Structures are given as structure tokens and as C-alpha cells.
């Protein structure tokens, strides 16, 4: 019988609506998320910009922990407005 832990579904993709200050820059912000354990790829798209903030669509792929990702975003001064998409499965190729 297979180990129950190995059967547990994993979060493979999270798409977030994020508001952050202009600093850090988008490349620096994306690299920070991309260097997190379990993260295999990050796509950050600028949706809107105003005098003090940027609204982003952030897509993160890998073997993910949402609370760690949210904490990293908050450490950079950002706020997760919403979780817009989540892909979960037992294998990455779902």
C-alpha cells in the first residue's frame, strides 16, 4: 500500500492579484519569489501603476506553500488582494 503522504495532492500553481510599492523593482521581486524553496518558475505581469503602488498578476509554479509565498510578498511590502487561480494535483503533469 502506498504511503498516504505520497498520495496527498500538491499545489502546483497559484495565481495572485498583488499590490506592492514601486520598490523593489519587478525583476528583483520576481527573483525573490523564484528563489524560494519549491518554486520552479515565476511570472509577474504589471496590470496597473499609480503614484505609489503597482498592481500585479503573479503566477508561481512548483511544489508550493501559499502561506510562505504570501509571507515573502508581505516582507517586500506587498499585499495579496486575491487568489485568482490554484492548480492542485498528485503529479505536476495534471
Amino acid at each position: 500500500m502506498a504511503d498516504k503522504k505520497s498520495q496527498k495532492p500538491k499545489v502546483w500553481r497559484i495565481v495572485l492579484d498583488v499590490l506592492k510599492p514601486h520598490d523593489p523593482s519587478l525583476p528583483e521581486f520576481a527573483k525573490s519569489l523564484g528563489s524560494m524553496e519549491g518554486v520552479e518558475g515565476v511570472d509577474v505581469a504589471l496590470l496597473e501603476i499609480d503614484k505609489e503602488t503597482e498592481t500585479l498578476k503573479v503566477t508561481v509554479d512548483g511544489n508550493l506553500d501559499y502561506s510562505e509565498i504570501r509571507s515573502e510578498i508581505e516582507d517586500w511590502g506587498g499585499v495579496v488582494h486575491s487568489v485568482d487561480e490554484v492548480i492542485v494535483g498528485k503529479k505536476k503533469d495534471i
Side-chain angles (χ1 to χ4, degrees), residues 3 9-10 12 18-19 22 35 47-48 53-54 61 65-66 68-69 85-86:
D3 181 350
K10 307 255 191 240
W12 293 109
V18 174
L19 181 72
H22 293 299
S35 68
L47 301 178
E48 188 176 330
T53 61
E54 300 169 342
D61 290 315
D65 181 329
Y66 169 68
E68 288 182 16
I69 293 168
E85 180 181 0
V86 177

Side-chain angles (χ1 to χ4, degrees), residues 60-86:
V60 185
D61 290 315
N63 185 358
L64 307 175
D65 181 329
Y66 169 68
S67 62
E68 288 182 16
I69 293 168
R70 187 187 66 231
S71 291
E72 184 75 10
I73 290 168
E74 290 171 353
D75 287 348
W76 284 94
V79 176
V80 175
H81 278 176
S82 64
V83 178
D84 295 343
E85 180 181 0
V86 177

